[in-house]
Amino acid sequence: MTDAPAPPVTLTAEEARVLGCLMEKAVTTPDAYPLSLNALVNACNQHTNREPVVSYTEETVERALEGLRAKGLGRRVKATGQRVVKHRHVVEDALRLDAAECAVLGVLLLRGAQTSGELKGRTERWHRFRSLDDVEEVLGRLARRGLTAALPRRPGQKEPRWACPLVEEAGAPAAAGGPAPAPAPGPPPSPEADGERRRAPQPVAAHSIEVRNPADGTLVRSVAVTEPGEIAQKLARARAAQPRWAARDVAERVEAVRGFARLLDAEAEECAGTTTCETGKPIRQSRAEIRAVAERIAWYVEHVPRIVAPRTVTAGPSFEERITYEPVGVVAHVSAWNYPYFVGCNALVPALLAGNAVLYKPSEHATLTGLRLVDLLHRAGVPVDVVQAVVGGGATGAELVASEVDLVSLTGSYATGRSVLVATAGRMVRVQLELGGKDPAYVCDDVDVEAAARSVAEGAFYNCGQSCSAIERVYVHETVRDGFVAALVAAAERLRVGDPTDDATDVGPLARAEQVGVIEAQLADALARGGRVLTGGRRIDRPGNWFEPTVVVDVDERAELMRAESFGPVVGVAAVRNDEEAIRRMGDTEFGLGAAVFTRDRARAERILARLDVGNAYWNTADRSCVRLPWAGRRHSGTGVSMSDAGVRTFVREKAWHLFPG
Ligand code: NAD
């Protein structure tokens, strides 16, 4: 959403129909989108939801598509391994529209002039407007940018009708009241150049990613990938918009983020459903994450203004020393899927509050959740150029990281983090990396074994074990080993594994199909080295990515299961003789995210935890993060900080002021 005029462009009636159809089908039949030429012809000639009804030939539609491409509004798409060329629109980017704006404009393109009441009813399948006021607010926004115009009332007509002034009326130029026709996005429209573009074969570059439900492997939706050229355009727009955003009063940015939190709260159930559908996270846990992220957002809203406010550190009679905090500029945030709200908001919210623009690439395994977050931010008043989604997998992430952004914030595996460091070396940009872990827990000889086992099971199996700070290794004092192991196995067996949309489910599928194979290989290696599976140990034979909650005991310390990240519902247990052995074995890792000690003796726990090279120290708890505390992995677990005052400062640059009145 922005009130800046959109790049003006005029559309023939055919182009308007084709564009409207692409916009409609992207939302209403996402599985079949982008559209083949044939599907598009049918969509144009549909008898319902179209005014007027037309009967276009393939040639007419081809010509309209060509026109849309030349005007920077359409693209040809060829998915990997497929021969058929398909078609998609790019109006969100070209005209800078959010989802609500797309819905209103799309229906106007398909059905001509309408009242706001008609629009509310007819956009229902595209976007849920809560009230007529909401529709009118969007119409007003679009009108300020020349994309809609209220028509003069006819005699006897009570409500004004709205039209899209970009559309030429039967051969006439675009309707009066709209924006002056001007260059389309992209190269200036000299007739020669335009003719040249029409003759030249159009590049086929775009691809789409398939969002699949990990619970059964079914296709949820295909989403068009952001191409490298588009990343450069997004960056240019973000760079142009960022100073205006930073120049706003911080209270305005706070208000937009508060609005975002309200929308997230109002639409929490839908958001949770989306996340569960694309990641397999049990619905209760998706809801819990959304509730918890609201607390984080509230903390940022309350504290970021204080943290980034200028500070005078010395005020002497003859000089003053001050620190100011300036936004870094354009932030690239490359995100993970396992906690998409936490991870996304830990970068998006403080970065935006501090006055940055953000190019946000959600994980390819949580794309729909990420797009939703961006949509909520736009609807809450963050300008569309200030926060933009970049869609795609690792290759797209690498393109984004390689672009001229000012800061890279990435959450992902050690391998990815390392490649980001290599890719940014020499550019002198700040890099903040939250990477993998192999967190250990030590169960001392003085514990209540039942309680300790319950906590360890929670730490190991919550979110199907897919947490960077999940407990993946347990060292248990040999004197309580048998009792603790029996309680841990019982706790694992009590977990309800099943349909993630069911409220009763504790453990759902793994988000990524390939991780099932990784776990199988780790288990085979552990067993070959003398480990024993006491419960679980097998993939579950059903469609989707399923693995049983698994406890393996007597695991040799050289086993992969005790060294490499498992990121699944499996935990290895080994007995130790004393605290010294526990400290040695807990510290025998390249990771440094967290470590937990279970004991009744706080001093003992603190002594042990102080000797471990980790960013998070847990006493009688595990797998926990809190916005008031810094989140920072060490060694292969990352570099830089998120959350807390220090994490907010990740997104600002300090300026030191040495002020001498003379
Ligand atoms: P991943 O490294 O495969 O992907 C993470 C993100 O990086 C994705 O958006 C991906 O598309 C992108 N990416 C992949 N290759 C890239 C490249 N070469 N350049 C730029 N971007 C690239 O990680 P994943 O498997 O999706 O997520 C799980 C990992 O994330 C685990 O290791 C987990 O421990 C870690 N994680 C860490 C934290 C933390 O706070 N430390 C939190 C959540 C997840």
Side-chain angles (χ1 to χ4, degrees), residues 449-483:
V449 286
E450 291 288 341
R454 274 198 303 278
S455 292
V456 168
E458 175 90 357
F461 299 120
Y462 193 85
N463 197 17
C464 200
Q466 301 167 119
S467 170
C468 50
S469 52
I471 295 179
E472 296 209 350
R473 305 176 281 151
V474 181
Y475 302 102
V476 54
H477 199 284
E478 60 186 7
T479 56
V480 292
R481 184 240 181 237
D482 291 351

Side-chain angles (χ1 to χ4, degrees), residues 69 74-78 85-86 197 200-206 227:
R69 286 196 297 271
R75 285 275 159 76
R76 303 203 318 164
V77 180
K78 197 164 168 195
V85 172
K86 296 193 172 178
R197 269 200 304 276
Q202 294 293 321
V204 176
E227 296 164 60

Side-chain angles (χ1 to χ4, degrees), residues 334-338 343 361-364 392-394 397-398 401 410-413 416 419-420 434-437 468 512 565 567 593 631 637:
V334 180
S335 217
W337 47 268
N338 58 337
V343 174
K361 194 197 85 59
S363 162
E364 57 273 41
V401 165
L410 174 132
T411 300
S413 59
T416 301
S419 74
V420 166
E434 297 183 17
L435 307 179
C468 50
R512 294 167 306 169
E565 193 172 31
F567 226 60
L593 194 52
W631 185 256
S637 292

Side-chain angles (χ1 to χ4, degrees), residues 489-567:
V489 167
E493 290 177 349
R494 275 197 302 274
L495 294 169
R496 288 157 301 195
V497 180
D499 177 2
T501 64
D502 186 338
D503 273 352
T505 294
D506 298 309
V507 177
L510 288 141
R512 294 167 306 169
E514 63 273 18
Q515 203 63 14
V516 177
V518 171
I519 294 171
E520 282 179 330
Q522 288 190 353
L523 277 179
D525 172 61
L527 300 192
R529 293 173 189 273
R532 286 181 303 122
V533 170
L534 295 191
T535 186
R538 284 169 313 181
R539 86 168 54 212
I540 300 171
D541 185 18
R542 57 192 278 185
N545 322 323
W546 296 85
F547 206 89
E548 296 171 337
T550 299
V551 177
V552 195
V553 293
D554 305 335
V555 187
D556 187 279
E557 56 189 304
R558 285 160 304 170
E560 279 292 287
L561 185 66
M562 300 304 257
R563 310 201 71 80
E565 193 172 31
S566 303
F567 226 60

Side-chain angles (χ1 to χ4, degrees), residues 21-23 25-27 29-40 43 65 74-79 82 84-90 206-210 219 221-225 227:
C21 289
L22 288 172
M23 290 165 76
K25 298 300 178 192
V27 180
T29 56
D31 293 352
Y33 183 81
L35 298 185
S36 64
L37 179 63
N38 189 31
L40 194 47
L65 282 167
R75 285 275 159 76
R76 303 203 318 164
V77 180
K78 197 164 168 195
Q82 283 185 11
V84 184
V85 172
K86 296 193 172 178
H87 306 276
R88 61 179 272 225
H89 73 82
V90 288
H207 301 95
S208 43
I209 50 173
E210 291 186 340
L219 181 69
R221 185 171 167 182
S222 299
V223 186
V225 164
E227 296 164 60

